[in-house]
Amino acid sequence: MDDCLFCRISAGTIPSTMVLETEAVVAFRDIAPEAPTHVLVVPRAHHVDVSAVAAASPTLLAEMIDVAQRVADAECGGQFRLVFNVGEMAGQTIPHAHAHVLGGAPMGRVLP
Ligand code: 5GP
Ligand code: ZN
């Protein structure tokens, strides 16, 4: 999709700081990091959100999580928070599936 930011970043037509690439998935640094490690894990194929990825290809979703683990292994001792926002109400601003890999600092619990 020519007008999709993350399609263009994953294709390399918009620059980013890549940290890991596979045939199906890219991982690059978030432009506005909220933790010492804040990397976005993105499928190259356009899916609107993580639920669409899961419906289309559980294998691709598993690969996204494997890439997240590999990023965390390299940067923050293998420990990380993985965040998928689904929908505007949940804070999703880019309608192309992505996982936020957050790590490198202690994090409070999100749930009670
Ligand atoms: P969302 O809010 O959709 O869950 O996450 C989108 C993320 O993309 C945000 O954390 C935002 O900082 C990041 N972002 C937005 N535009 C760009 C960009 O052009 N390059 C990079 N590397 N990250 C971006
Ligand atoms: Zn896209």
Side-chain angles (χ1 to χ4, degrees):
M1 285 183 50
D2 287 349
D3 59 346
C4 172
L5 177 63
F6 285 178
C7 280
R8 295 180 69 184
I9 287 178
S10 64
T13 56
I14 289 180
S16 68
T17 306
M18 284 287 168
V19 296
L20 205 160
E21 293 187 63
T22 69
E23 198 172 315
V25 174
V26 295
F28 54 89
R29 297 202 187 283
D30 196 290
I31 203 167
E34 295 184 22
T37 291
H38 188 171
V39 169
L40 300 174
V41 175
V42 174
R44 292 185 191 273
H46 183 87
H47 298 279
V48 70
D49 58 32
V50 66
S51 297
V53 175
S57 173
T59 302
L60 179 56
L61 178 56
E63 183 168 341
M64 289 175 68
I65 293 171
D66 180 63
V67 166
Q69 181 68 62
R70 289 165 60 193
V71 169
D73 288 346
E75 298 202 5
C76 46
Q79 300 185 43
F80 61 106
R81 177 170 289 165
L82 195 61
V83 174
F84 293 95
N85 295 324
V86 176
E88 285 179 31
M89 285 280 285
Q92 185 178 5
T93 59
I94 309 288
H96 178 131
H98 54 281
H100 297 256
V101 180
L102 299 157
M107 290 178 201
R109 282 177 61 86
V110 174
L111 301 173

